[in-house]
Amino acid sequence: MANIVNLDRVSKGYGAAGQLLTDVSVGVDGADRIGVVGLNGAGKSTLLRLLCRVEEPDAGRVTHRRDLRVAWLPQTLQLAADATVRDVVLGTAWLGEGFGAEHEWAGDAAVRTILDGLGMPYLGLDQPVGPMSGGERRRVALAALLVRPADLIVLDEPTNHLDVAGVNWLAEHLVGRRGALVVVTHDRWFLDAVCTTTWEVADQTVRVYEGGFAAWTLARAERERLAAAAEARRQNLLRKEI
């Protein structure tokens, strides 16, 4: 299957933050389930924004399949204070970029199922989001994203503000959903439950590993072992030459 998104020799940096990505080439297949890992500040969120074409690279190019439907949840969001849950789900109250186009109402039952799964059975669909807590508004935005049709879902820390039951429900929902997924989260269980590929963002590049978080941990340990062995051999050679 051809990739639905391609990054071709992409570089990106921000003034004081410095260079985050240099000459990165990766692709997303239509059935990929990708977990993105790396240290804070390594460029994970930047990589997601580039994938969604919310930001443009400094060099290289990002291409999408024609008519690709992308829905993305950023770390920070802003909703109209006077909007209702229904407005947010329809997309008319979203003030950010790249969230996804407005769409037809999916039906009260479908929206209700997702809100309940995310731990908000008490919310009315015509309830305003302005008085809600930040965590509640974020879960409403996540529900709005999950109820709309999309070929690629991109989630930046979706498990924040979810309890254990909510995390379990979200994992099951995503596993049963068709299409591609790219997700950043610190929840290791979630990565293992949902993802079949891991992207490690480090040293201004992206390394691709098969498997979820546990498989990546083992692969990284093996890579570090081989690097340490190679360095030990180099040091031994230098000592002999001296």
CSV table of all heavy atoms in Angstrom, one decimal, residues 19 25 67 77-78 85 91 112 135 137 162 189 192 213 215 227:
chain,number,residue,atom,x,y,z
A,19,GLN,N,17.9,23.8,16.3
A,19,GLN,CA,17.4,22.8,15.3
A,19,GLN,C,16.8,21.6,15.9
A,19,GLN,O,17.4,21.0,16.8
A,19,GLN,CB,18.6,22.4,14.4
A,19,GLN,CG,18.3,21.6,13.1
A,19,GLN,CD,17.6,22.5,12.1
A,19,GLN,OE1,17.6,23.8,12.2
A,19,GLN,NE2,16.9,21.9,11.1
A,25,SER,N,13.4,11.7,6.7
A,25,SER,CA,12.6,11.1,5.6
A,25,SER,C,11.8,9.9,6.2
A,25,SER,O,12.5,8.9,6.6
A,25,SER,CB,13.4,10.6,4.4
A,25,SER,OG,14.0,11.8,3.8
A,67,ASP,N,-6.9,14.3,-1.3
A,67,ASP,CA,-8.2,14.2,-0.5
A,67,ASP,C,-8.0,13.5,0.8
A,67,ASP,O,-9.0,12.9,1.4
A,67,ASP,CB,-9.3,13.4,-1.3
A,67,ASP,CG,-9.6,14.2,-2.6
A,67,ASP,OD1,-9.6,15.4,-2.6
A,67,ASP,OD2,-9.9,13.5,-3.6
A,77,LEU,N,-5.2,23.7,23.0
A,77,LEU,CA,-6.3,23.9,22.1
A,77,LEU,C,-7.1,25.1,22.7
A,77,LEU,O,-7.0,25.5,23.8
A,77,LEU,CB,-7.2,22.7,22.0
A,77,LEU,CG,-7.7,22.0,23.2
A,77,LEU,CD1,-9.0,22.7,23.7
A,77,LEU,CD2,-8.0,20.6,23.0
A,78,GLN,N,-8.0,25.7,21.8
A,78,GLN,CA,-8.8,26.8,22.2
A,78,GLN,C,-10.2,26.6,21.6
A,78,GLN,O,-10.3,26.4,20.4
A,78,GLN,CB,-8.2,28.1,21.7
A,78,GLN,CG,-8.9,29.3,22.2
A,78,GLN,CD,-8.3,30.6,21.7
A,78,GLN,OE1,-7.4,30.6,20.8
A,78,GLN,NE2,-8.7,31.7,22.2
A,85,VAL,N,-21.2,21.6,23.5
A,85,VAL,CA,-20.6,20.3,23.1
A,85,VAL,C,-20.9,20.0,21.6
A,85,VAL,O,-20.1,19.6,20.9
A,85,VAL,CB,-21.0,19.2,24.0
A,85,VAL,CG1,-20.5,17.8,23.5
A,85,VAL,CG2,-20.6,19.4,25.5
A,91,GLY,N,-17.5,20.9,14.7
A,91,GLY,CA,-16.4,21.6,14.2
A,91,GLY,C,-16.5,23.0,14.1
A,91,GLY,O,-15.6,23.7,13.7
A,112,ARG,N,-22.8,10.3,22.1
A,112,ARG,CA,-23.0,9.9,23.4
A,112,ARG,C,-22.1,8.7,23.8
A,112,ARG,O,-21.5,8.7,24.9
A,112,ARG,CB,-24.5,9.5,23.6
A,112,ARG,CG,-24.9,9.3,25.0
A,112,ARG,CD,-25.2,10.5,25.8
A,112,ARG,NE,-24.0,10.9,26.5
A,112,ARG,CZ,-23.7,12.1,26.9
A,112,ARG,NH1,-24.5,13.1,26.7
A,112,ARG,NH2,-22.6,12.4,27.6
A,135,GLY,N,-9.4,19.9,31.5
A,135,GLY,CA,-9.4,18.5,31.1
A,135,GLY,C,-10.7,18.1,30.5
A,135,GLY,O,-10.7,17.3,29.5
A,137,ARG,N,-12.7,20.1,28.7
A,137,ARG,CA,-12.7,20.7,27.3
A,137,ARG,C,-11.8,19.8,26.4
A,137,ARG,O,-12.2,19.6,25.2
A,137,ARG,CB,-12.2,22.1,27.3
A,137,ARG,CG,-13.2,23.1,27.9
A,137,ARG,CD,-12.9,24.5,27.6
A,137,ARG,NE,-11.6,24.9,28.2
A,137,ARG,CZ,-11.5,25.4,29.4
A,137,ARG,NH1,-12.6,25.6,30.1
A,137,ARG,NH2,-10.3,25.8,29.9
A,162,LEU,N,-7.4,11.5,31.3
A,162,LEU,CA,-8.3,10.3,31.3
A,162,LEU,C,-7.9,9.4,32.5
A,162,LEU,O,-6.7,9.3,32.8
A,162,LEU,CB,-8.0,9.5,30.0
A,162,LEU,CG,-8.5,10.1,28.7
A,162,LEU,CD1,-8.2,9.2,27.5
A,162,LEU,CD2,-10.0,10.5,28.7
A,189,TRP,N,1.8,1.7,28.6
A,189,TRP,CA,0.9,0.6,28.3
A,189,TRP,C,0.1,1.0,27.1
A,189,TRP,O,-0.2,0.1,26.2
A,189,TRP,CB,-0.1,0.5,29.5
A,189,TRP,CG,-1.2,-0.5,29.3
A,189,TRP,CD1,-1.1,-1.9,29.5
A,189,TRP,CD2,-2.4,-0.3,28.7
A,189,TRP,NE1,-2.3,-2.5,29.1
A,189,TRP,CE2,-3.1,-1.5,28.6
A,189,TRP,CE3,-3.1,0.9,28.2
A,189,TRP,CZ2,-4.4,-1.6,28.0
A,189,TRP,CZ3,-4.4,0.8,27.7
A,189,TRP,CH2,-5.0,-0.5,27.6
A,192,ASP,N,2.0,0.2,23.9
A,192,ASP,CA,2.0,-1.2,23.6
A,192,ASP,C,0.7,-1.8,23.2
A,192,ASP,O,0.6,-2.7,22.3
A,192,ASP,CB,2.5,-2.0,24.8
A,192,ASP,CG,4.0,-2.1,24.9
A,192,ASP,OD1,4.7,-2.1,23.8
A,192,ASP,OD2,4.6,-2.2,26.0
A,213,PHE,N,6.1,0.0,22.6
A,213,PHE,CA,7.1,0.6,23.5
A,213,PHE,C,8.1,-0.5,24.0
A,213,PHE,O,9.3,-0.2,24.1
A,213,PHE,CB,6.4,1.3,24.7
A,213,PHE,CG,7.3,2.0,25.6
A,213,PHE,CD1,7.7,3.3,25.4
A,213,PHE,CD2,7.9,1.3,26.7
A,213,PHE,CE1,8.6,3.9,26.2
A,213,PHE,CE2,8.7,2.0,27.6
A,213,PHE,CZ,9.1,3.3,27.3
A,215,ALA,N,9.0,-3.3,22.6
A,215,ALA,CA,10.0,-3.7,21.6
A,215,ALA,C,11.0,-2.6,21.3
A,215,ALA,O,12.2,-2.9,21.1
A,215,ALA,CB,9.2,-4.0,20.3
A,227,ALA,N,26.8,0.0,20.2
A,227,ALA,CA,27.6,1.2,20.2
A,227,ALA,C,28.7,1.2,21.2
A,227,ALA,O,29.8,1.6,20.9
A,227,ALA,CB,26.7,2.4,20.3
